[in-house]
Structure formats: C-alpha cells, structure tokens
Amino acid sequence: MSNKVITIERHIIEEERASQGATGDFSALLRDLMLAVKIIHREVIRAGLVDILGATHRENIQGEVVQKLDEFANDVIFRAMDHGGHLCAMASEENEGLLAIPEEYPKGKYILLFDPLDGSSNIDANVSIGTIFSIHRRVTAEETDGTVEDALQPGYKQIAAGYTIYGPSTMLVYTAGRGVYGFTLDPSVGEFLLSHDNIRIPEHNGIYSVNEGNYMKWSPEMRKYIDWVKQDIPEEQKKSYSLRYIGSMVADIHRTLLYGGVFLYPADVKSKKGKLRLLYEANPMSFIVEQAGGRATDGLGNRLLEIMPTELHQRVPLVVGSPKNVEEVESFLQGKRAV
Ligand code: P6P
C-alpha cells in the first residue's frame, strides 16, 4: 500500500508528462480551477452559518445583499479562469450566452464548460452539491475570441472532465482520458490529496436512482422498467433493488460511480428532452463514468458522448451507470423486454 501523499497538482503533472506534446498549459488550467473550487468549498461550508450566526461576512461594505451561492460560484470560477491565457471562452449554466475572455487577457487553446453549483436548491437542507466541468480543445483559429463552435463539440472530444462534491468531505473526481481519479480536500493544508486511485464502477448493483414522482409522466416502456425493478421475485431470478435518490446529480452519480447501479433522468411528457443539460452535466459525467468502465446513453441506444450538440443549454435524457444496469434499462426502453 503506497503511503505516498499525492496532491492533485502532482497527479496532473504526472498525467501531463504521460501525454505526448503536453505543454504544461493544461496543468496550469486545472491548477487555476482548483483554486476556484477551494474558494467555493469555503463558502459552501459556511452557508449554514450565515443563517445561524446572522454573520454579515457575506455582506460587502456597502451592505449589499450577498449573491446566491451559485452566482457566487459562477463569479469565482470566471474570475479564476479568465486571465490565465489557457481559455478562448467559457460557457456556464448560469449564463445564457458564451462568456468571452476580457480583451486585456491572452486567449488560450481550451474552452471551459461548467455548472458552477449543481443542486444548489439543496444547500439549505445541507445536502451535498457540486461543481461540474468539461474541457475541450478549441476548434477555431488560435489567439482569436472563442465562438459557440468551440463549445458545441460532441462529448467524446473532451480532453478532461470532472466534478467536485461539497459533502461530509469535499472531493474532486476527474479524468483526462486515462482513468478516473478521486481527491479529497484536506482543509488543514488546503490540498486535494489522492484518495481514490483509478476508480472502476462495479459491473452491476441493485441500486436505481430516479425521481419516481415523475412516474405518471413517463413512457409506458419506462414505467415497465420501474415496475420490473421493484418486483419481489426470488433472488436467483432477479437481484432485489433499492431506490436511492438525493436529487443532487453530482451526489447521485458519485454514489453510482463508487457503488454501482444506474442513475436515470429520462424524458417525460413535460420535459420531452429530459431535464439535464448535455454540455456541462451529461457530457462530463458520461466521460467520467465511461472512463471508469460504465455506460452513458439516452436510453435509446445512443451513446451520450456521440450526440452532436446544437445549442449551449440543450437538454438530454440520461441513463448512466454500471454496464449491466444500463443494459437492463435499455432492454425495456427499446421495447425488447416487457417483464
Ligand atoms: P428533480 C438539481 O436541481 C438538478 O439539476 C440535478 O442536480 C438533479 O439530479 C436534478 O436537478 C433533480 O431534478 O426533477 O428530480 O428535482
């Protein structure tokens, strides 16, 4: 058992050395992002205190009402990333259009797509929430302002993706295409230390994660899957399943990655494309789950990472998790199985 203390910085540099033609640019980009998530961590863990202590720390000197946490997280990421010279543009769940790099800063060869604080409606209940990010190499001319074309790339072209989960401990999970690695923040030194080396998702598990409140809005095929998964038949015919749904995508997928099972957010009669966003939620999570040996599809056999995006905030149905669990769901959704 190695007792090496591996910080994320050291891991990124070693990863970078392993990839041909690396220029250190990518390592520097991730280091800037790590600073941003540490600042978000600090604010998220204090959020509860603001109410209890009525602390005014979160009011500025003009006594202006402090931003909501997701707006705060959005600003922190933008300001941490806009001047390093690594990005040609950014796109955020919080902003309608592309975020340009300010005129005075150099433009870089990557584009960052992110959801600054997913699940933030859960913060008042002290439920784990997270930041999700996706990084592509730009496709437009170097040194020019990035365009939407740089953002609208299929997920299989991502060069890195990851999420942070602000929970009992703050963790960062990322992939650069050579496996999935988890780092836990040691607040006493302010470092993310390697805690989950080369995460592999179990082949199958009896856990399904979905908002059953949408049952009546789902397709007949989806309802058949849910009816099947709850059937209480002898173990030798069908594993028994538990429903685990936190309602915070980062937390639900993090558990699925470590324990196995399947996370679903299918289309329904109200949300015809599902609820979750392709570019900065589905694609980064799919890249991570596939790199850990799992599968990620729209439930109809289309690999999410191959979907050609058409707009920044487009939604997509999601079936993500252990290969055998995704296969089970697809057999129902594609009408190949009725019981
Ligand atoms: P529902 C949180 O609002 C979020 O965007 C994801 O984090 C989560 O998986 C989903 O929405 C929950 O949606 O409709 O089940 O409340």
Side-chain angles (χ1 to χ4, degrees):
M1 178 70 182
S2 149
N3 55 4
K4 276 193 295 184
V5 173
I6 299 183
T7 63
I8 190 163
E9 284 77 6
R10 172 173 171 180
H11 192 271
I12 291 167
I13 288 169
E14 285 170 2
E15 279 283 294
E16 179 121 40
R17 279 196 200 120
S19 61
Q20 276 64 35
T23 61
D25 211 8
F26 178 56
S27 311
L29 186 163
L30 282 181
R31 265 198 301 282
D32 290 349
L33 193 55
M34 293 313 103
L35 173 63
V37 298
K38 287 175 191 173
I39 294 170
I40 296 169
H41 155 81
R42 186 192 61 200
E43 283 307 300
V44 165
I45 61 173
R46 285 159 43 110
L49 284 179
V50 171
D51 300 339
I52 298 165
L53 305 178
T56 56
H57 306 299
R58 286 161 54 87
E59 284 182 356
N60 59 27
I61 46 174
Q62 289 81 18
E64 283 159 359
V65 175
V66 169
Q67 297 161 316
K68 286 185 353 175
L69 265 181
D70 42 9
E71 290 161 17
F72 171 79
N74 200 43
D75 288 355
V76 164
I77 293 173
F78 182 77
R79 286 205 303 275
M81 303 306 291
D82 68 350
H83 56 281
H86 314 301
L87 299 175
C88 64
M90 298 182 233
S92 166
E93 194 263 353
E94 291 286 319
N95 301 88
E96 192 51 40
L98 208 65
L99 296 172
I101 300 299
E103 210 45 49
E104 64 270 31
Y105 299 135
K107 312 295 177 283
K109 61 185 180 189
Y110 301 107
I111 184 165
L112 174 68
L113 314 174
F114 62 98
D115 184 350
L117 208 55
D118 181 74
S120 52
S121 57
N122 291 301
I123 189 80
D124 294 340
N126 206 13
V127 168
S128 299
I129 56 179
T131 299
I132 312 171
F133 65 90
S134 165
I135 301 170
H136 282 280
R137 203 176 299 285
R138 72 178 306 170
V139 293
T140 52
E142 299 279 339
E143 270 110 59
T144 61
D145 286 346
T147 72
V148 177
E149 195 188 345
D150 294 302
L152 298 182
Q153 298 185 56
Y156 70 85
K157 290 194 169 177
Q158 290 173 97
I159 61 154
Y163 60 84
T164 41
I165 178 165
Y166 310 102
S169 58
T170 288
M171 267 194 78
L172 181 129
V173 174
Y174 97 106
T175 183
R178 273 187 304 281
V180 178
Y181 300 89
F183 300 81
T184 300
L185 181 64
D186 177 343
S188 65
V189 291
E191 287 287 357
F192 278 105
L193 305 180
L194 182 65
S195 52
H196 296 66
D197 193 3
N198 195 20
I199 297 174
R200 302 297 294 168
I201 191 169
E203 191 64 13
H204 183 273
N205 201 354
I207 303 174
Y208 71 109
S209 183
V210 70
N211 181 349
E212 285 222 21
N214 294 329
Y215 183 88
M216 296 311 286
K217 298 200 286 279
W218 287 331
S219 66
E221 293 75 16
M222 178 63 193
R223 288 189 219 169
K224 284 200 183 89
Y225 166 70
I226 295 296
D227 298 342
W228 172 79
V229 85
K230 293 196 284 197
Q231 271 184 10
D232 188 14
I233 53 181
E235 191 72 14
E236 56 276 11
Q237 291 174 38
K238 177 182 110 23
K239 201 173 167 64
S240 62
Y241 280 70
S242 300
L243 171 60
R244 295 285 182 272
Y245 193 68
I246 302 167
S248 179
M249 178 191 195
V250 174
D252 279 317
I253 291 201
H254 186 62
R255 181 206 54 250
T256 304
L257 189 68
L258 297 183
Y259 294 179
V262 63
F263 172 81
L264 310 97
Y265 209 107
D268 61 46
V269 287
K270 203 176 61 135
S271 328
K272 297 223 182 317
K273 284 274 186 198
K275 173 180 183 182
L276 301 171
R277 312 285 185 170
L278 176 62
L279 288 187
Y280 42 77
E281 290 177 337
N283 273 346
M285 290 309 200
S286 302
F287 187 21
I288 288 168
V289 170
E290 283 200 3
Q291 279 287 309
R295 288 189 60 212
T297 81
D298 62 359
L300 303 174
N302 303 305
R303 186 175 168 235
L304 286 170
L305 293 182
E306 287 174 12
I307 293 177
M308 199 58 213
T310 51
E311 49 189 76
L312 284 183
H313 301 288
Q314 75 185 74
R315 301 173 193 270
V316 69
L318 209 66
V319 179
V320 176
S322 297
K324 289 261 178 298
N325 287 89
V326 172
E327 208 177 294
E328 281 171 351
V329 177
E330 290 206 314
S331 65
F332 283 92
L333 294 193
Q334 293 170 31
K336 295 175 193 149
R337 189 170 168 184
V339 282

